[in-house]
Amino acid sequence: MYPAKHVLVSETASFARLSCSTDETWDTAMTADTKTPFEHVNDVLAQLKEMRHYAKNNVETLTAQWLLFDGELKKLKHVSQIEALMTRQSELHDALNEEIDKLEELAVSLQPPPEEAQ
């Protein structure tokens, strides 16, 4: 095995130098500090879209359970608690959709112009 090479960098460093081979070739690694606003917005958009996907699945699953056990829940006097949860979950889904729409508009405005072919 090759000996390990360690490089110490501060947390606020914009670039970290990492050894990428045994012949002392160095590459620069991109850190969070080097991302553009466009890249940050796209990262957040991807995370929100994933959250929306799971929120939608949760609403659908809870609704299916609700329909199956509606009568039993009424007997157990748990209807209002479940309805409140369903309402809050639906509100989260709506809020995610609104924020995704806003961030998609922002991403379009932040997108760098296409590079001209030379």
Side-chain angles (χ1 to χ4, degrees):
M1 280 284 156
Y2 302 107
K5 298 198 187 261
H6 300 281
V7 177
L8 299 176
V9 294
S10 70
E11 288 182 41
T12 59
S14 293
F15 293 95
R17 288 176 39 104
L18 305 172
S19 175
C20 64
S21 69
T22 59
D23 66 354
E24 297 301 322
T25 303
W26 292 88
D27 270 350
T28 302
M30 182 178 266
T31 65
D33 294 340
T34 62
K35 287 187 175 183
T36 66
F38 176 70
E39 291 167 325
H40 281 289
V41 167
N42 281 330
D43 289 347
V44 171
L45 262 172
Q47 186 65 40
L48 287 176
K49 286 180 178 181
E50 183 177 350
M51 288 173 64
R52 176 180 62 185
H53 168 76
Y54 288 111
K56 180 182 177 194
N57 285 344
N58 289 342
V59 168
E60 290 170 355
T61 301
L62 187 56
T63 301
Q65 292 297 318
W66 172 259
L67 293 173
L68 288 174
F69 299 108
D70 184 28
E72 292 298 317
L73 290 171
K74 284 181 184 175
K75 290 178 193 174
L76 297 172
K77 300 186 183 340
H78 280 270
V79 172
S80 62
Q81 294 93 325
I82 301 299
E83 284 179 344
L85 289 173
M86 290 176 64
T87 300
R88 292 190 350 228
Q89 184 71 27
S90 179
E91 289 169 351
L92 171 64
H93 190 260
D94 292 343
L96 286 169
N97 280 330
E98 290 175 20
E99 191 59 30
I100 287 169
D101 290 343
K102 291 176 187 176
L103 285 175
E104 284 176 335
E105 289 176 14
L106 179 60
V108 168
S109 71
L110 292 174
Q111 188 170 8
E115 294 182 20
E116 295 180 20
Q118 294 185 10

